[in-house]
């Protein structure tokens, strides 16, 4: 009986793990797709991207009946920092790093995200740290070192810092706002920031009519990399913890490799495939800590399992999910 209850309780956890994996794979496609818009004004292009994403996400919030939530000054500051670093500066860093050193360099540096989140996201278990290290090794092998120059490396390190901010700054906001509103508010806030920066840097040249490949690239970034990936990541993050979720950041270079092959930029080499295999192995090592923690958790009584029991164990040493977070969005829905 207890085994049946445990299996049933673990099903949502598997869904959130899949969401985190899908989100990071989609983020990995950004580097390849960025090549299609590298000649478009950076700030104007990103402003259009986040404007479209914000409209889609706010429409989704409205359709779901989620009302506007008033934020405290601290929460407003966190949201502004999340938008500035996790969205605005991150994408500028990725585009500039790709221009300087190509997608391999930025993919390699971003491959260290799992280790960074495992170390910064709480008290990770040894298996999560070990799995993260294997993921980093696989990401490095998959993307390859030796390309680019010092400016490209510095831009890549900036992207790494911003990617960490994208997760850690959102964690305090998610229990109150939920995934849809954090994604919508941060995307909407990024638009005026990008417009101001673009006007200061490029003037009125920040906007021009995009070519067809540029329009497709901006549309893909807006709908897939922003609207879909943001929701998947932020919905999973508070439930499985930053340390466990960070393991899936190793799929970023895998997504870049697949995108490059799909766009005809090159076929995967033996190191690419070996690195992807290492990434998968590292994720499995880290997730084994999740499984052992869940198995060690003894249910209080048949049929009386606390809803927060499994997600709390799923963090494997990372900050546990807020017990109220699964119901946060539902409780804020507009009354009929």
């Amino acid at each position: 009986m207890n085994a049946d209850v445990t299996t049933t309780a673990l099903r949502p956890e598997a869904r959130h793990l899949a969401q985190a994996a899908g989100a990071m794979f989609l983020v990995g496609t950004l580097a390849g797709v960025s090549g299609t818009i590298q000649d478009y004004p950076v700030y104007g292009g990103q402003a259009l991207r986040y404007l479209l994403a914000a409209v889609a996400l706010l429409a989704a919030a409205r359709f779901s009946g989620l009302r506007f939530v008033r934020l405290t000054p601290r929460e407003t500051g966190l949201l502004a920092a999340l938008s500035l670093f996790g969205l605005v500066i991150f994408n500028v860093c990725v585009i500039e790093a790709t221009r300087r050193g190509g997608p391999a360099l930025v993919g390699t540096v971003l491959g260290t995200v799992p280790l960074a989140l495992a170390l910064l996201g709480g008290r990770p278990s040894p298996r999560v740290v070990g799995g993260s290290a294997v993921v980093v090794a696989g990401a490095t092998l998959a993307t390859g070192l030796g390309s680019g120059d010092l400016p490209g490396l510095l831009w890549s390190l900036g992207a790494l810092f911003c990617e960490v901010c994208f997760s850690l700054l959102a964690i305090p906001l998610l229990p109150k706002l939920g995934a849809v509103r954090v994604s919508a508010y941060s995307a909407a806030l990024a638009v005026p920031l990008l417009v101001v920066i673009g006007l200061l840097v490029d003037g009125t040249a920040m906007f021009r009519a995009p070519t067809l490949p540029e329009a497709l690239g901006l549309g893909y970034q807006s709908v897939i990399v922003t609207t879909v990936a943001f929701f998947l990541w932020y919905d999973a993050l508070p439930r499985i913890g930053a340390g466990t979720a960070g393991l899936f950041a190793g799929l970023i270079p895998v997504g870049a490799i697949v995108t490059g092959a799909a766009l005809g930029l090159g076929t995967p080499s033996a190191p690419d495939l070996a690195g992807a295999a290492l990434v998968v192995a590292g994720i499995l090592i880290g997730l084994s800590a999740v499984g052992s923690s869940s198995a060690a958790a003894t249910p209080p009584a048949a049929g009386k399992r606390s809803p927060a029991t499994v997600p709390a164990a799923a963090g494997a040493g990372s900050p546990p999910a807020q017990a109220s977070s699964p119901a946060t969005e539902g409780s804020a829905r507009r009354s009929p």
Side-chain angles (χ1 to χ4, degrees):
M1 181 65 176
N2 287 347
D4 293 338
V5 173
T6 302
T7 301
T8 303
L10 286 176
R11 287 174 184 169
E13 176 188 314
R15 176 169 65 86
H16 299 313
L17 293 173
Q19 285 180 303
M24 288 297 98
F25 181 87
L26 292 177
V27 170
T29 65
L30 176 66
V33 176
S34 293
T36 65
I37 63 168
Q38 61 181 355
D39 295 326
Y40 193 87
V42 174
Y43 300 103
Q46 294 305 303
L48 287 174
R49 167 195 173 182
Y50 286 117
L51 176 61
L52 294 174
V55 170
L57 287 164
L58 289 172
R62 177 79 174 179
F63 179 79
S64 301
L66 301 178
R67 62 178 177 81
F68 178 79
V69 175
R70 187 178 300 276
L71 302 177
T72 66
R74 175 179 176 274
E75 292 167 341
T76 302
L78 284 173
L79 187 63
L82 168 63
S83 183
L84 178 63
F85 291 103
L87 279 64
V88 177
I89 300 180
F90 170 77
N91 285 280
V92 173
C93 287
V94 168
I95 291 173
E96 292 298 330
T98 302
R99 284 175 174 173
R100 299 279 186 168
L105 178 61
V106 66
T108 299
V109 175
L110 287 178
T112 64
V113 168
L115 189 57
L117 285 179
L119 296 176
L120 296 175
R123 294 182 177 180
S125 71
R127 248 185 289 186
V128 169
V129 174
S132 299
V134 174
V135 168
V136 170
T140 302
L141 179 60
T143 52
L145 290 172
S147 61
D149 52 14
L150 180 60
L153 177 61
L154 293 177
W155 281 113
S156 299
L157 291 174
L160 171 63
F161 172 78
C162 292
E163 180 66 16
V164 173
C165 290
F166 178 75
S167 295
L168 297 186
L169 291 176
I171 289 176
L173 298 170
L174 288 168
K176 180 175 181 178
L177 295 179
V180 174
R181 280 175 291 205
V182 168
S183 301
Y185 294 175
S186 59
L189 188 57
V191 176
L193 293 174
L194 286 162
V195 169
V196 170
I197 297 173
L199 289 175
L200 292 175
V201 175
D202 299 322
T204 56
M206 69 174 291
F207 291 116
R208 65 168 172 80
T211 64
L212 179 59
E214 288 171 342
L216 292 176
L218 289 171
Y220 179 87
Q221 288 190 357
S222 176
V223 176
I224 304 300
V225 181
T226 306
T227 305
V228 176
F230 278 26
F231 171 76
L232 292 176
W233 182 252
Y234 283 148
D235 191 51
L237 185 63
R239 292 168 169 82
I240 63 177
T244 300
L247 290 167
F248 295 101
L251 293 175
I252 291 176
V254 177
I257 291 171
V258 173
T259 306
L263 295 177
L265 302 178
T267 57
S269 63
D272 292 334
L273 298 176
L278 272 178
V279 167
V280 173
I283 291 173
L284 293 176
I285 291 172
L287 292 182
S288 67
V290 177
S292 61
S293 297
S294 299
T298 303
K304 295 183 179 181
R305 172 179 288 272
S306 170
T309 301
V310 173
S318 302
Q322 298 292 333
S324 60
S325 58
T328 301
E329 294 191 8
S331 64
R333 296 182 185 274
R334 188 179 287 110
S335 300

